[in-house]
């Protein structure tokens, strides 16, 4: 069978837009016939790509089942509602999904091929049909330090994250900018005037952040000028679900047995795009920094070790520096006072690329080569 008929759902959201852009740039649409679906704009013109016509109904099982593969970036509720119904109706195609719903299921593989290509190849050979993108921070962490994992040098990892507004979707990005506008308006006049009283500026901004009309419908709190140390829903052990994913997903992606502990706190910050994380890594034994750096660098073709100095850090190790790039810089690498096995590092990556869209488009490419 050659895989040439693909349905795309969720293509106009944050992840879907980036995915479509990447597929066009890499020529993935050549030889593909595409149907574009929507949950809200059925019948309207779709993208003039892959021979797709008007937008089809994303809940029309028959229209979906006409495709050999479906790529969805629509979200978990959509997956929960549609995939079981499609499978019950006998659809046996490939489901490629950005949402977390199916990630931990036995009949799914989490795709991040620069890190777990053998796991994906085994899944294809064994007839697995669900190919799911990993959590964005987990995928970016593994892209950054897979070299250490490959050597068996990781005893545990603690990841403290600084996650961008776009991680929550298109509408949340807009809300962050609206919050920034409100703060800008409140500080206007005072911020430009170096002679104005700084405490007055502070009071104006603080009053704006806590005012009833401050825009926070999506985040539930101020993100601009503040931060939110809670992402996703709570779990029974005091962790958030975002934090829970670090251990669960990294071990499934790497097919680790026994599992290697990964834990930490996940924090939303006022960056627009790109997730950052501060890592504390306990190595299995003391290893020199130069060895650690060269093994990290050899991990894959996208990771970049950034020298641990101010100029390189400011130039290369920030959300702004990696926005729109597939590079995954990792810097601030140094030994901690806790002992020679304890390593600190800071890494940033575009969560919409390696953290979401890129593994999905590469999964489709791999399937087209294999089936
Ligand atoms: P999103 O931006 O909120 O888009 C999801 C859907 O919302 C769109 O497909 C669209 O569907 C609808 N929508 C309604 N109003 C819209 C508007 N004004 N602009 C664009 N779309 C609008 O969600 P997302 O961030 O892409 O996330 C999709 C899935 O990927 C989720 O399961 C998420 O957990 C996962 N994920 C996200 C990220 C990330 O960094 N954002 C990373 C990894 C995984 P219709 O066309 O049908 O209306």
């Amino acid at each position: 069978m050659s895989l040439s008929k693909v349905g795309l759902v969720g293509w106009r959201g944050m992840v879907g837009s980036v995915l479509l852009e990447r597929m066009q740039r890499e020529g993935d649409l050549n030889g593909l016939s595409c149907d574009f679906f929507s949950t809200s704009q059925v019948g309207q013109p779709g993208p003039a790509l892959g021979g797709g016509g008007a937008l089809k109904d994303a809940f029309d099982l028959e229209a979906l089942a006409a495709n050999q593969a479906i790529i969805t970036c629509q979200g978990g509720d959509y997956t929960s509602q549609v995939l079981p119904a499609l499978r019950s109706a006998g659809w046996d195609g490939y489901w490629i999904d950005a949402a977390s719903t199916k990630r931990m299921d036995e009949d799914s593989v989490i795709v991040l091929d620069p890190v777990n290509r053998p796991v994906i190849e085994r899944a294809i050979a064994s007839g697995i049909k669900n190919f799911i993108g990993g959590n964005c921070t987990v995928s970016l962490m593994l892209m950054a330090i897979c070299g250490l994992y490959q050597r068996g040098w990781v005893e545990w990892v603690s990841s403290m994250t600084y996650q961008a507004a776009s991680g929550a979707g298109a509408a949340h990005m807009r809300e962050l900018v609206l919050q920034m506008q409100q703060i800008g308006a409140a500080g206007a006049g005072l911020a430009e005037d170096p002679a104005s009283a700084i405490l007055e500026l502070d009071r104006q901004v603080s009053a704006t952040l806590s005012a009833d009309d401050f825009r926070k419908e999506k985040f539930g709190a101020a993100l601009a000028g503040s931060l939110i140390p809670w992402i996703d829903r709570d779990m029974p052990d005091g962790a958030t679900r975002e934090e829970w994913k670090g251990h669960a997903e990294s071990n499934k992606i790497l097919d680790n047995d026994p599992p290697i502990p990964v834990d930490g706190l996940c924090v939303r910050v006022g960056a627009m795009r790109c997730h950052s994380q501060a890592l504390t890594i306990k190595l299995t034994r003391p290893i020199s920094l130069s060895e650690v750096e060269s093994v990290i660098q050899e991990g894959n073709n996208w990771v970049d070790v950034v020298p641990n100095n101010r100029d390189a850090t400011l130039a290369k190790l920030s959300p702004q520096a990696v926005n729109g790039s597939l590079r995954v810089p990792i810097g601030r690498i140094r030994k901690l006072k806790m002992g020679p096995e304890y390593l600190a590092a800071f890494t940033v990556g575009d969560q919409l690329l390696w953290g979401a869209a890129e593994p999905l488009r590469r999964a489709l490419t791999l399937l087209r080569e294999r089936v």
Side-chain angles (χ1 to χ4, degrees):
M1 163 186 103
S2 92
L3 201 170
S4 60
K5 181 102 180 66
V6 175
L8 288 105
V9 191
W11 51 274
R12 77 181 181 110
M14 209 48 242
V15 174
S17 311
V18 172
L19 174 68
L20 214 48
E21 204 175 86
R22 285 290 301 142
M23 290 179 81
Q24 282 176 268
R25 181 158 316 161
E26 295 296 328
D28 296 350
L29 298 166
N30 297 341
L32 276 191
S33 154
C34 299
D35 283 339
F36 290 91
F37 292 86
S38 175
T39 61
S40 66
Q41 301 187 326
V42 181
Q44 293 189 26
L49 297 167
L55 294 175
K56 299 191 173 181
D57 181 354
F59 296 104
D60 179 345
L61 297 185
E62 227 173 276
L64 289 166
N67 293 283
Q68 294 164 298
I70 292 169
I71 307 187
T72 168
C73 308
Q74 187 64 27
D77 292 345
Y78 177 79
T79 300
S80 305
Q81 186 175 345
V82 167
L83 182 60
L86 258 182
R87 295 289 188 216
S88 310
W91 183 69
D92 194 28
Y94 293 99
W95 181 264
I96 303 174
D97 195 344
S100 63
T101 317
K102 288 285 302 169
R103 278 185 204 143
M104 298 308 295
D105 290 357
E106 295 237 321
D107 62 354
S108 300
V109 62
I110 304 180
V111 289
L112 186 64
D113 66 276
V115 169
N116 73 340
R117 179 134 180 176
V119 177
I120 302 171
E121 298 273 9
R122 283 201 298 277
I124 295 173
S126 72
I128 291 281
K129 293 290 170 79
N130 302 314
F131 293 75
I132 317 298
N135 169 265
C136 38
T137 42
V138 177
S139 295
L140 290 172
M141 178 193 76
L142 292 179
M143 286 297 289
I145 60 165
C146 66
L148 298 178
Y149 274 104
Q150 283 155 6
R151 292 291 178 106
W153 289 355
V154 179
E155 188 171 320
W156 53 252
V157 180
S158 175
S159 163
M160 301 294 184
T161 73
Y162 306 75
Q163 298 181 218
S166 53
H172 289 73
M173 275 179 101
R174 288 182 209 284
E175 185 166 280
L176 173 60
V177 173
L178 291 173
Q179 290 189 355
M180 290 171 177
Q181 280 174 356
Q182 283 185 277
I183 294 170
L190 289 172
E192 294 87 352
D193 178 7
S196 70
I198 193 62
L199 288 184
E200 183 49 26
L201 178 61
D202 180 44
R203 266 192 292 274
Q204 293 279 6
V205 171
S206 178
T208 303
L209 296 182
S210 48
D212 287 343
D213 67 350
F214 192 66
R215 299 291 298 266
K216 53 177 192 288
E217 298 82 13
K218 294 289 169 193
F219 285 112
L223 183 63
S226 190
L227 57 76
I228 305 173
W230 191 281
I231 300 178
D232 209 338
R233 59 186 160 81
D234 52 346
M235 299 292 282
D237 66 351
T240 63
R241 192 153 184 276
E242 186 79 358
E243 291 155 3
W244 170 85
K245 288 172 184 170
H247 180 80
E249 290 190 20
S250 63
N251 283 292
K252 177 162 178 176
I253 291 170
L254 294 167
D255 199 20
N256 286 332
D257 186 17
I260 295 175
V262 175
D263 209 348
L265 299 181
C266 293
V267 180
R268 184 79 67 199
V269 297
M272 283 291 276
R273 178 166 166 170
C274 302
H275 292 346
S276 309
Q277 40 199 324
L279 305 177
T280 300
I281 302 167
K282 181 160 189 229
L283 300 167
T284 48
R285 60 183 169 81
I287 298 161
S288 74
L289 270 186
S290 60
E291 259 187 296
V292 162
E293 286 182 355
S294 60
V295 161
I296 288 177
Q297 188 58 68
E298 287 160 14
N300 57 59
N301 293 332
W302 293 271
V303 65
D304 289 320
V305 169
V306 175
N308 185 17
N309 64 57
R310 184 178 189 273
D311 287 351
T313 300
L314 265 57
K316 296 178 177 167
L317 200 58
S318 68
Q320 190 48 35
V322 294
N323 191 323
S325 162
L326 286 162
R327 306 309 303 175
V328 181
I330 174 166
R332 301 307 327 277
I333 300 174
R334 66 184 182 86
K335 293 290 183 80
L336 291 167
K337 289 192 173 56
M338 292 80 176
E341 305 95 341
Y342 293 86
L343 194 69
F346 192 87
T347 179
V348 191
D350 189 325
Q351 94 284 357
L352 291 161
L353 289 168
W354 279 117
E358 199 62 12
L360 300 189
R361 63 158 285 273
R362 291 170 67 95
L364 178 67
T365 303
L366 193 57
L367 284 169
R368 289 178 77 188
E369 288 166 12
R370 292 287 181 276
V371 299

